[in-house]
């Protein structure tokens, strides 16, 4: 670790990992209600469990991004973070908000739009934390060396904050409500979050492969250009059936089909850099997560997205288990794996030891990822059957669901395996470290 | 590749192109905003009751079990067209009564069947919720859903 303030990342990631636990545990609970519907249905109904699952997911991913930012900015800018105190203040606000939200949900204190259920005070807290964060990192970046990686990362983070403001706007007209809701949801995951993803992957590739910065940064600009050129207008794939003009059917279908390009480009980029790179970095687990991230995002977002994005297809699959299948693999591949990649890379550096517990970490990648893939397959099959019976044959919703129980059992089984994979990863990363060499203070780990 | 495109050219294309697409997108959204207010929904019928119905819908986070116009959770039936599914396009009063009876009779308590909680809404709240469902059922959605099952 070259800069002391990079260690701030550690605390963000500890908080993120704690919420990751909450998230997968709530997911498992929600999956269990699908197969045992009477389970605590009065005490903790499905909707409450689901909002804990999805909100914990979003918040831990954001905490992970913030941690990654604090880790990589000092190295890129060649400066310490402007104010560690502000960074910790920001973390405290976010933790109070996250805990307040989760505990509040249990007591039915929430708002009522999907993913934006946080009570107003939590939303305002998030905005204050975001302002502190943007101030802190922007000042650091502006006073130091400017690189494409920090440019794109900052643009992505500013975008996250700006589009979140639409979470405060809730028009009485449901159509307008939905139209602007997607400015938060779609313009996040298929817009500005992709900038964060591409820049963190570029940083990892830069460090791990030793490929020339010029080459990596040019790739980075090309990738994010294809992201935004397709992703912004691609919002149209959500404007099909919610009371919008019909021209969105064509705009949405065409542009969102092209959204597979940036995800494909990220796969090619990562593999090319590793292939070209001469450096043999010892942290094989981090490399596996980074390559896995690009590939799983390509399948989850790119391929599974394309599968239901054309309007004649989406007319039938809209709001079925097909959507749930895609949502899971896309979030997992693009953003969960990304966070686990940068953490796997950075924790040894922060702890000042050589990469440790590599075999267990790599095993956790395969366990978690195959289980997520399996969950995606079962939900896809469930969704196809549902689409046929309900949307084509016109069978009633509840009758159709009875036909799907075998898939929901398999989803629960794969969910259990996901949780085992998560436990393995946490143990490999934060548990006892075997056969480590301590890097003396001030010295650099090899190929850091 | 280094010969074809320099890094600064790539950067300029990125910033310029993104700004361009964002402006086009914002213009189309502005037009759609107008369309929603004038064509696809009935703004005049967006009464205080309907607005209150929407607030009740949000207060109880119905969206985290149900979908509405296909968005939300996949645990319970689509409700964008529930008013029509209950025959409200032909006999609105009967549909309102049936929906009220539904809301009052939950949870079913049937073993092995998914449960919907009891929200203890009063008559006025139930009326407003119905007004909301009725208003939503008249949104022009490019003919989605494909059938009454939703
Ligand atoms: C990492 C990127 C992505 C993530 C995290 C993601 C996640 C999601 C999630 C969670 C939903 C469900 C939203 C809801 O609750 O209503 C959704 C819907 C959708 N996504 Fe993605 N997505 C990504 C990329 C893509 C891409 C690249 C495409 C197209 C090529 C796509 C196509 C769609 C479509 C068409 C829907 C609507 C499904 C429906 O009609 O029910 N997504 N996405
Ligand atoms: C890291 C892994 C996971 C990620 C990234 C993730 C992500 C998500 C997302 C984005 C949604 C909202 C879906 C949508 O609106 O389309 C969701 C819902 C859900 N997830 Fe997960 N999840 C994960 C793990 C799990 C696990 C382990 C289970 C356990 C079986 C699970 C079960 C569920 C259930 C039952 C829902 C509700 C779906 C519905 O509305 O019917 N998830 N998850
Ligand atoms: Fe989207």
């Amino acid at each position: 670790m070259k800069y002391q303030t990079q260690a701030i990342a550690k605390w963000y990631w500890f908080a993120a990992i704690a919420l990751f636990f909450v998230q997968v545990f709530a997911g498992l609970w929600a999956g269990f209600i699908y197969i045992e519907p009477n389970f605590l249905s009065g005490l903790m109904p499905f909707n409450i469990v689901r909002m804990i699952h999805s909100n914990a997911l979003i918040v831990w991913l954001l905490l992970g991004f913030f941690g990654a930012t604090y880790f990589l900015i000092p190295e890129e800018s060649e400066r310490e973070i402007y104010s560690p105190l502000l960074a910790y203040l920001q973390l405290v606000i976010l933790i109070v908000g996250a805990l307040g939200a989760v505990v509040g949900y249990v007591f039915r204190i929430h708002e009522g739009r999907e993913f934006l259920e946080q009570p107003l005070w939590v939303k305002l807290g998030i905005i204050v934390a975001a302002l502190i964060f943007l101030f802190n990192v922007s000042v650091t970046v502006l006073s130091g060396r400017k690189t494409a990686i920090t440019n794109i990362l900052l643009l992505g983070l500013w975008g996250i904050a700006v589009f979140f403001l639409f979470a405060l706007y809730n028009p009485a007209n449901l159509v307008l409500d939905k139209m602007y809701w997607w400015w938060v949801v779609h313009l996040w995951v298929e817009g500005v979050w992709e900038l964060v993803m591409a820049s963190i992957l570029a940083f990892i590739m830069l460090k791990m492969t030793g490929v020339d910065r010029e080459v990596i940064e040019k790739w980075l600009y090309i990738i994010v250009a294809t992201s935004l050129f397709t992703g912004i207008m691609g919002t149209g794939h959500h404007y099909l059936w919610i009371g919008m003009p019909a021209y969105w059917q064509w705009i949405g279908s065409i542009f969102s089909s092209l959204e597979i390009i940036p995800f494909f480009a990220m796969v090619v980029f990562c593999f090319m850099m590793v292939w070209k790179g001469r450096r043999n970095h010892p942290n094989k687990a981090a490399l596996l997560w980074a390559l896995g991230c690009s590939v799983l995002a390509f399948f989850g977002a790119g391929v599974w997205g394309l599968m239901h994005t054309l309007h004649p297809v989406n007319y039938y699959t809209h709001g079925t288990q097909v959507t749930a299948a895609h949502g899971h693999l896309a979030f997992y591949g693009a953003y969960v794996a990304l966070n686990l990649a940068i953490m796997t890379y950075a924790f040894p550096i922060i702890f000042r030891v050589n990469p440790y517990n590599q075999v267990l970490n790599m095993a956790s990648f395969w366990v978690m990822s195959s289980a997520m893939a399996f969950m995606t397959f079962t939900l896809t099959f469930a969704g196809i059957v549902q689409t046929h019976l309900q949307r084509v044959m016109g069978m009633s919703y509840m009758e159709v669901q009875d036909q799907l129980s075998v898939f929901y059992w398999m989803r629960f089984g794969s969910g259990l395996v996901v949780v085992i994979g998560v436990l393995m990863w946490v143990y490999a990363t934060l548990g006892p470290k075997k056969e480590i060499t301590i890097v003396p203070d001030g010295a650099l780990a090899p190929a850091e | 590749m280094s010969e074809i495109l320099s890094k600064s050219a790539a950067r300029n294309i990125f910033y310029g192109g993104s700004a361009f697409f964002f402006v086009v997108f914002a213009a189309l959204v502005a037009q759609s905003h107008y369309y929603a207010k004038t064509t696809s929904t009935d703004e005049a019928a967006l009464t205080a009751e309907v607005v209150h119905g929407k607030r009740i819908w949000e207060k109880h986070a119905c969206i985290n079990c149900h979908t509405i116009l296909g968005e939300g959770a996949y645990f319970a039936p689509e409700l964008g067209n529930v008013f029509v599914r209950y025959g409200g396009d032909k006999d609105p009063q009967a549909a309102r009564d049936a929906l009220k009876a539904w809301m009052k009779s939950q949870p079913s308590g049937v073993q092995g069947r998914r449960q919907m909680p009891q929200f203890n809404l009063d008559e006025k709240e139930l009326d407003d919720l119905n007004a909301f469902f009725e208003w939503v059922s008249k949104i022009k959605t490019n003919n989605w859903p494909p059938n009454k099952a939703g």
Side-chain angles (χ1 to χ4, degrees):
Chain A
M1 198 169 64
K2 294 190 194 110
Y3 299 89
Q4 296 306 319
T5 47
Q6 286 182 283
I8 295 171
K10 182 170 69 177
W11 300 103
Y12 276 82
W13 288 338
F14 288 159
I17 291 166
L19 276 176
F20 187 17
F21 268 124
V22 174
Q23 181 232 325
V24 288
F25 177 70
L28 211 53
W29 190 329
F32 190 67
I33 297 178
Y34 259 93
I35 55 178
E36 274 301 331
N38 306 86
F39 179 68
L40 296 183
S41 61
L43 207 62
M44 283 286 275
F46 182 85
N47 60 336
I48 303 292
V49 180
R50 188 189 200 265
M51 68 177 89
I52 295 175
H53 179 54
S54 61
N55 283 227
L57 170 71
I58 312 259
V59 176
W60 90 255
L61 295 177
L62 287 172
L63 284 170
F65 293 164
F66 295 151
T69 309
Y70 284 122
F71 181 81
L72 70 77
I73 288 230
E75 264 183 51
E76 287 293 296
S77 304
E78 302 180 329
R79 287 269 167 307
E80 295 287 358
I81 293 292
Y82 170 72
S83 165
L85 188 68
L86 283 180
Y88 290 119
L89 176 67
Q90 178 208 346
L91 180 59
V92 170
I93 297 175
L94 289 171
I95 290 177
V96 170
L99 286 181
V102 170
V103 175
Y105 292 168
V106 175
F107 294 98
R108 316 285 193 274
I109 301 168
H110 51 69
E111 293 189 359
R113 296 192 295 160
E114 196 194 1
F115 304 137
L116 306 180
E117 297 92 349
Q118 314 80 23
L120 184 63
W121 70 269
V122 176
K123 288 199 179 79
L124 296 176
I126 293 174
I127 291 171
V128 171
L131 287 175
I132 296 176
F133 172 69
L134 291 172
F135 169 76
N136 207 2
V137 294
S138 302
V139 169
T140 312
V141 167
L142 290 176
S143 68
R145 179 177 66 150
K146 289 160 198 73
T147 68
I149 291 178
T150 54
N151 275 355
I152 302 294
L153 182 61
L154 270 193
L155 186 66
L157 294 165
W158 274 94
I160 289 177
V162 169
F163 290 121
F164 185 69
L165 295 178
F166 285 89
L168 299 176
Y169 180 52
N170 181 6
N173 185 320
L174 185 73
V175 174
L176 296 177
D177 168 358
K178 285 173 175 290
M179 182 171 78
Y180 292 107
W181 181 83
W182 284 111
W183 281 51
V184 188
V185 179
H186 172 100
L187 289 181
W188 266 21
V189 298
E190 289 159 70
V192 289
W193 284 35
E194 276 183 49
L195 306 195
V196 174
M197 174 182 174
S199 55
I200 293 178
L201 280 180
F203 176 79
I204 295 177
M205 289 303 140
L206 184 71
K207 295 290 160 175
M208 298 200 75
T209 66
V211 171
D212 209 34
R213 181 182 281 278
E214 275 301 301
V215 178
I216 288 191
E217 297 201 324
K218 186 157 62 176
W219 264 95
L220 179 58
Y221 278 122
I222 294 171
I223 290 170
V224 292
T226 59
S227 294
L228 293 192
F229 292 4
T230 61
I232 294 173
M233 299 289 274
T235 315
H237 67 183
H238 304 293
Y239 289 173
L240 306 173
W241 326 115
I242 60 168
M244 296 274 98
Y247 57 69
W248 286 110
Q249 297 183 350
W250 290 100
I251 297 177
S253 294
I254 292 169
F255 280 91
S256 71
S257 303
L258 301 175
E259 281 182 47
I260 198 169
I261 295 172
F263 289 102
F264 184 68
M266 281 192 259
V267 178
V268 177
F269 165 70
C270 289
F271 280 82
M272 281 255 290
M273 294 304 116
V274 172
W275 177 66
K276 271 181 145 183
R278 297 161 311 280
R279 193 179 283 173
N280 194 4
H281 196 281
N283 198 336
K284 297 280 177 275
L287 196 60
L288 178 63
W289 277 106
L291 293 174
C293 166
S294 70
V295 172
L296 290 163
F298 171 71
F299 281 102
V303 177
W304 255 255
L306 186 63
M307 201 165 76
H308 63 157
T309 207
L310 296 175
H311 70 267
V313 177
N314 192 264
Y315 184 67
Y316 292 101
T317 60
H318 182 47
T320 62
Q321 297 295 331
V322 172
T323 310
H326 155 71
H328 274 91
L329 200 60
F331 258 110
Y332 176 76
Y335 303 122
V336 172
L338 177 72
N339 268 304
L340 300 187
I342 184 76
M343 290 186 208
T344 298
Y345 168 75
F347 267 128
I349 298 172
I350 291 176
F351 293 146
R352 296 179 184 283
V353 294
N354 285 321
Y356 49 85
N357 303 350
Q358 292 268 296
V359 175
L360 183 60
N361 192 320
M362 289 196 266
S364 81
F365 169 85
W366 290 108
V367 171
M368 218 189 296
S369 304
S370 358
M372 284 307 290
F374 189 78
M375 185 189 297
T376 306
F377 297 144
T378 58
L379 290 176
T380 307
F381 285 120
I384 292 170
V385 174
Q386 181 187 6
T387 301
H388 183 73
L389 294 182
Q390 187 182 323
R391 296 288 163 72
V392 181
M393 311 286 284
M395 243 165 103
S396 86
Y397 175 92
M398 289 300 278
E399 267 180 288
V400 173
Q401 291 297 311
D402 282 341
Q403 306 294 314
L404 303 179
S405 64
V406 59
F407 299 113
Y408 295 137
W409 275 99
M410 290 197 283
R411 186 251 304 265
F412 182 74
S414 47
L416 266 180
V417 180
V418 172
V419 173
I420 292 171
V422 174
L423 292 173
M424 287 165 67
W425 182 84
V426 175
Y427 190 80
T429 313
L430 301 178
K433 301 168 187 62
K434 297 212 181 71
E435 294 165 28
I436 50 163
T437 25
I438 309 232
V439 183
D441 225 30
L444 294 181
E448 184 180 312
Chain B
M1 197 173 64
S2 49
E3 313 77 47
I4 311 168
L5 188 69
S6 72
K7 186 172 107 184
S8 61
R11 186 192 56 212
N12 295 343
I13 291 174
F14 165 63
Y15 285 120
S18 302
F20 169 76
F21 281 109
F22 191 76
V23 169
V24 175
F25 176 66
L28 289 173
V29 165
Q31 200 278 334
S32 304
H33 188 121
Y34 179 76
Y35 174 89
K37 278 178 113 58
T38 55
T39 313
S40 63
T41 70
D42 187 351
E43 274 272 319
L46 190 60
T47 57
E49 287 72 36
V50 176
V51 176
H52 186 222
K54 180 168 183 275
R55 297 291 166 245
I56 295 165
W57 166 261
E58 288 166 359
K59 178 165 177 230
H60 298 287
C62 317
I63 192 78
N64 275 301
C65 284
H66 290 277
T67 50
I68 188 160
L69 304 188
E71 294 170 2
Y74 319 113
F75 183 75
E78 158 71 25
L79 295 183
N81 67 339
V82 72
F83 195 75
V84 177
R85 190 153 61 244
Y86 277 61
D89 47 345
K90 297 186 185 77
D91 186 349
Q93 196 49 47
R96 290 186 200 117
D97 292 341
L99 280 166
K100 271 192 181 178
W102 173 271
M103 295 299 295
K104 286 178 185 165
S105 65
Q106 299 306 304
S108 69
V110 176
Q111 277 303 311
R113 191 173 175 93
R114 293 181 197 171
Q115 297 298 305
M116 167 164 153
Q118 175 53 248
F119 297 103
N120 298 310
L121 304 179
D122 61 30
E123 286 299 314
K124 163 84 176 117
E125 288 172 319
L126 288 171
D127 285 334
D128 293 351
L129 195 58
N130 277 337
F132 173 65
F133 283 139
E134 185 169 356
W135 186 84
V136 169
S137 75
K138 291 179 182 151
I139 296 173
K140 295 195 180 64
T141 57
N142 297 321
N143 296 321
W144 193 89
N147 58 50
K148 266 193 203 166

